[in-house]
Amino acid sequence: MTQSASPIIEMSRTHPPLVSAVFDTEYRSAMQSVLSRYTPSEMVGAHRWMGTDADRRAGGVVTGHRLGSIPDAGRVIVTNGTQSAFNMLLGGLVGQGNVLAVESLTYPPILVLAQRFGFTPKGVEMDEEGVIPEALEALCRSDRPKALYLLPTLQNPTTATMSLGRRQAIVDVARRYDLQILEDDIYSLLPQDLPPPISALAPERSWYMLGVAKTIAAGMKIAYLVAPSAALGEAQFWPGVRATFWMAAPISAAVSTQMIETGGAKRIIDAVRQEMVTRHQIVRPLLSKTDFVTKDGALHVWIRLPQSAYASELAAAIRVQGVSVGTADPYVLPGEVVPQAIRIGIGHAKSQEELENATRIIAECHDDIVNAAR
């Protein structure tokens, strides 16, 4: 019998590290507390729809850390992850035949939802801070988009992060052209000393999304959305608006609420943040010969290649050595040029040792491919 191949080291995903010593204790305690307060039939006997009052207050606490003040609970909607929130918002706020402005490299599910709902995503040129305000204004003049979707902090896949001045400039354009803003802030709880979200600068037109998948655990499937007002939130999310799967599982919502109320969520996030500090210390020196971009707190690294080298070839060579990485292809809008770059997730590796070994493989394969292309 032949020996099975070694498992692939997964570095194509931006999952947070597991921090089991902290997470397991906090999650188990929260689960036990929830089950002691409710019978199973009470817990799963009905949907929690937009969240119970306690769920929505807890979501207000989490989002308030970034928004600068705790939003009224009536504006908070508890969803089954960020993608579920998109599924409701994009159909309602953009709609068939209209245009959604997005970053020139955008979150891949947006492109799938564009086909589903019949709207057209249009890319806005980016620089090291993300969306360029002048480019957004030019698109507003030419295509009249209904809304703008963006990640101003640790943009996926480039890790671009907007300064306060850039965020204000984006708000100014949005107000001039009456753009709704869909702000995905999912990577924002790990870095320190960030500017406020765009939604804090323009709450009257912003739909602010903050999920737990990149800071607590990818499988929890909880995201909190803050609408411009309670009435607008209900118009998009009240039961029966559209048949979909956006409602959070009752047990997940209850456990998340419990961990927020007891401080367990903060303790997990603090542990993830500290682990990522160590992981950056491991990765950065090993990639010193590459043209890489990342930032403190980022779960991923963006490695740019010379145009003479091909990212697909590099990713394939790395895969042969037992490591999976991503390329820019899924983030590119139809008809646009694909940049030669790879994205590596540094949180998903099971241990620091596994991360170090995988990063060495990536660096060695990079040198081989780039040198051969010269």
Side-chain angles (χ1 to χ4, degrees), residues 48-64 70-79 223-227 229-235 237-239 246 253-254 256-257 260-261:
R48 292 168 89 96
W49 298 119
M50 295 191 295
T52 64
D53 289 344
D55 295 338
R56 298 174 86 176
R57 287 194 299 270
V61 170
V62 171
T63 56
I70 296 176
D72 180 79
R75 295 171 57 203
V76 178
I77 297 127
V78 186
T79 73
Y224 300 103
L225 182 140
V226 181
S229 69
L232 288 171
E234 287 190 6
F237 287 89
W238 191 247
W246 66 269
S256 183
T257 294
I260 292 166
E261 290 177 345

Side-chain angles (χ1 to χ4, degrees), residues 11-15 151 153-160 186-187 190 214 276 280 283-284 287 292-303 331 342-348:
M11 295 184 71
S12 66
R13 300 172 186 168
T14 54
H15 291 177
L151 287 92
T153 298
L154 298 179
Q155 196 268 345
N156 183 17
T158 66
T159 75
I186 196 166
Y187 294 103
L190 297 182
K214 307 303 182 184
M276 289 309 300
H280 274 264
V283 166
R284 289 173 186 257
L287 297 177
F292 79 90
V293 182
T294 191
K295 292 180 176 63
D296 291 345
L299 295 172
H300 61 286
V301 177
W302 183 239
I303 302 177
Y331 303 89
I342 63 170
R343 191 199 72 169
I344 63 171
I346 62 175
H348 191 67

Side-chain angles (χ1 to χ4, degrees), residues 11-26:
M11 295 184 71
S12 66
R13 300 172 186 168
T14 54
H15 291 177
L18 294 178
V19 295
S20 301
V22 178
F23 179 87
D24 290 357
T25 299
E26 298 293 348

Side-chain angles (χ1 to χ4, degrees), residues 180-197:
Q180 294 289 299
I181 299 170
L182 283 65
E183 181 175 14
D184 187 352
D185 210 25
I186 196 166
Y187 294 103
S188 69
L189 293 180
L190 297 182
Q192 305 276 29
D193 302 320
L194 285 174

